[in-house]
Structure formats: structure tokens, C-alpha cells
Amino acid sequence: MTRETSHEHHLFSVVVTCYNDGAFIVEAIQSVEKSTYPNIEIIIVDDHSSDKDTLLKLDELEKKGYVVLRKESNLGVSDSRNEGIARIRGNYVLTLDADDLIHPAYLEKAMQQFNKGYTVVYCNVKNFGKINSIRIAPEFSIPLLLTGNFVASCSAFTKEMWKLAGGFDVNMKCYEDWEFWVNLCGKGGKFIHINDVLFEYRRKVNSLNSKCEDPQTRAQTVEYVCKKHTSLYQQYVTEIVPNLHRVVSSLERDILQIEELAGKGNITELYNRVKLAEAELENRTAFYENSFFWKLKRISDKILGR
């Protein structure tokens, strides 16, 4: 379904990817349709959902005039995004998972940045559901991005950049967003951070147990990204390595101090130390969407009885 008032050159295309998220997809679409930007098209891509309620909801949306692309097999979100973007008519893209939401001003503010020459626009994020928090993204830095992702999955970019990158990498079974942003850096992408909360990311039970949290899977995924973008990593290695050691050494210090206090049985002092460590971690957890920092945050919550 398209809401048009101007030329296709300024058409904003929102690709909504769905897999068994029929319970949330209408809410996601409604969040797009509340946009203050007037020239929008919505394309829904279903990744071969098996849930009957989801299939019924997709049928209803199709009858109402929405474009629903139905895949014949489940190939993952990267493939779904590529299929949807290949069919859009606009030059500007926002990918939205069917269980997430955007704020009314997001597309309008993103278009303002595109008009200034930027090709990738990202914002701050509100987590809701099983985790409720605000993630304040940092200003853009290639070395920081090469260390870990802080650009939300629901970020806007030009179709031309997607073409230059060769689309989302279908070999990525997790961290596909991170690899895509790294890829765009290597292709000359111009990133800009909007310092507003314009995207809401639904934290569900299964999202807390991502397969990417498995150490071996994480290591293999990072190795794949590093090898694929070797030249970019070589260019920034003198900034990446010191930053990683700074973060790891800080975490090791906090953990050792907490373990020492726990061994002494001083509950009050332990409580205060965990609170202090948690405050130090807040900025780091805000940067990374899927990282071990979130595990430490949940440990803190458990100790503090939250």
C-alpha cells in the first residue's frame, strides 16, 4: 500500500519482514502509517511463516491492498530484506521487523539527513518487552563500528548503497545488520546519528537467548566479517585493538572486585560495588545491540533483586 503526494524520487520505502509475527505486524504497520512524512510505500515480506494466525493476518492485509511477498522457503531475514528492497520503487529504504515500531517523526527526520547528502541514518532506541531501557547510540565512528554494532537494525539507507554493498549477506545467520553497516563503510557510506529515540525494539523471550550468544558461533561470525572486510580492519587496527583492551580490562577489574567482595560475604559493600559497576556499564550496553555486556547487565539485575 502506498501513500503518495510527490514524485517517486522522494518516495520512502518501508520493507516489513515477517516470520510468525502475526500478533504484532498490524501494530508495526500502523506505526509506519502514523508517519509525518507523506510519501511512503510499504512492502511486506513473509519468510515462509508456519503460524496459522500469522498466515491469516497476512491474508487480511493483502485483501486490504498491502503488497505481501510470500517466500517459498524460510531463508532468513537477510534474504527477506533483499527480496523486499529489490521490489521497491523508492530511493530511500527503512527495514522494519514485524514486531517492532517506529515513531511518527522518524522518516521525516531521516529524509532531512538524506537531503544533506548522508546515505545512512540511525537513531537512539527504546527497548520494550522483556527488557525496558533506552539505548543512546554514539556518534558515528568506523573503528567503534568495527568493534561491535551500535547502529540499529531499523536504520534508513539509500537503495544505491544497498546495491553497492551487494545487499544483505545471506551467509550471515546473525549479526547481519552489523555486517551490512561495515560493508557500507567500505563502500563510502556517509553515516549520521539522529540523537532522538525514534525506533522501538521489542525484546521477547527468544530474543534474549540469541544463537549469537554462543561463544563459538560469535567467534566464527566475527571471524567471517573480519576476513570479508580485511582491508577495512587493517586500516583501523591501531584504533580497534587499544579500544578493545581498554573495555576488557575495565570489565575484568569490575568482575575481580565483585568476586572478592562476594567471597568476604559483605553484602552491603557487594551491593554498592555492583551498583557502581552497573553505572559504568550503562554506556557500553547502550552501544551494542547483541553483546556480552547485556549478560553482565542481567547478572547485575539478578544480584540487585530486580
Side-chain angles (χ1 to χ4, degrees):
M1 183 170 286
T2 309
R3 187 177 78 196
E4 293 183 76
T5 59
S6 59
H7 192 271
E8 282 187 11
H9 176 71
H10 290 100
L11 180 64
F12 218 129
S13 302
V14 179
V15 176
V16 180
T17 53
C18 178
Y19 178 66
N20 290 338
D21 274 324
F24 309 112
I25 190 169
V26 171
E27 188 179 3
I29 291 172
Q30 287 175 343
S31 76
V32 177
E33 293 181 331
K34 292 176 182 177
S35 175
T36 57
Y37 188 76
N39 195 16
I40 303 168
E41 72 169 342
I42 299 173
I43 292 181
I44 303 165
V45 184
D46 177 52
D47 196 16
H48 199 64
S49 292
S50 56
D51 173 63
K52 291 182 180 180
D53 291 337
T54 296
L55 296 175
L56 287 172
K57 188 63 66 177
L58 291 170
D59 288 341
E60 292 174 7
L61 290 168
E62 198 165 28
K63 290 176 181 177
K64 290 179 179 179
Y66 292 92
V67 175
V68 180
L69 306 180
R70 300 174 187 268
K71 293 165 59 178
E72 295 183 357
S73 57
N74 179 255
L75 297 175
V77 69
S78 291
D79 182 79
S80 295
R81 289 173 181 166
N82 288 338
E83 185 162 336
I85 295 170
R87 295 280 296 274
I88 67 174
R89 296 183 294 114
N91 294 320
Y92 308 97
V93 189
L94 186 85
T95 57
L96 177 65
D97 291 342
D99 55 343
D100 296 331
L101 309 169
I102 64 170
H103 287 206
Y106 194 2
L107 300 184
E108 183 176 358
K109 289 188 175 184
M111 186 60 73
Q112 291 170 357
Q113 299 305 320
F114 287 136
N115 290 335
K116 295 177 182 178
Y118 292 101
T119 56
V120 184
V121 183
Y122 67 100
C123 64
N124 300 333
V125 180
K126 176 183 177 181
N127 292 306
F128 71 105
K130 291 298 178 181
I131 293 178
N132 292 278
S133 61
I134 300 294
R135 297 206 317 269
I136 306 299
E139 296 307 306
F140 188 70
S141 160
I142 292 179
L144 185 60
L145 183 67
L146 294 175
T147 304
N149 191 32
F150 55 83
V151 179
S153 59
C154 184
S155 295
F157 50 92
T158 65
K159 188 174 182 179
E160 183 61 29
M161 287 306 305
W162 172 80
K163 289 179 179 177
L164 288 173
F168 286 85
D169 190 336
V170 295
N171 294 312
M172 298 288 294
K173 302 307 177 186
C174 55
Y175 297 146
E176 61 282 331
D177 307 310
W178 176 49
E179 190 282 326
F180 184 66
W181 309 132
V182 171
N183 198 350
L184 295 191
C185 285
K187 304 300 180 184
K190 293 183 65 177
F191 288 68
I192 184 70
H193 170 226
I194 299 177
N195 193 24
D196 293 318
V197 176
L198 300 171
F199 168 52
E200 296 192 20
Y201 180 65
R202 191 184 304 269
R203 291 282 183 172
K204 298 182 290 190
V205 173
N206 56 2
S207 67
L208 301 183
N209 298 298
S210 167
K211 56 182 176 294
C212 285
E213 292 187 1
D214 174 71
Q216 184 175 355
T217 301
R218 183 185 179 94
Q220 290 173 344
T221 302
V222 173
E223 182 181 10
Y224 174 83
V225 173
C226 289
K227 287 182 177 179
K228 182 176 178 180
H229 304 287
T230 299
S231 61
L232 199 60
Y233 275 90
Q234 288 176 337
Q235 183 178 350
Y236 292 97
V237 67
T238 57
E239 296 174 64
I240 295 170
V241 174
N243 184 55
L244 281 172
H245 277 272
R246 188 179 302 111
V247 172
V248 171
S249 62
S250 176
L251 290 172
E252 288 176 342
R253 179 204 63 199
D254 290 342
I255 292 170
L256 286 172
Q257 290 178 348
I258 290 171
E259 286 179 340
E260 183 179 352
L261 289 171
K264 292 178 179 179
N266 188 330
I267 301 302
T268 301
E269 193 173 353
L270 174 61
Y271 181 92
N272 291 334
R273 180 60 242 180
V274 171
K275 288 285 290 184
L276 179 61
E278 180 184 50
E280 294 174 354
L281 281 169
E282 281 186 356
N283 288 334
R284 300 171 197 154
T285 58
F287 287 0
Y288 301 103
E289 186 167 338
N290 294 299
S291 74
F292 64 92
F293 295 130
W294 280 111
K295 287 186 176 181
L296 292 175
K297 175 67 166 64
R298 292 199 294 275
I299 290 171
S300 297
D301 287 346
K302 186 174 181 180
I303 292 174
L304 297 173
R306 287 197 297 263

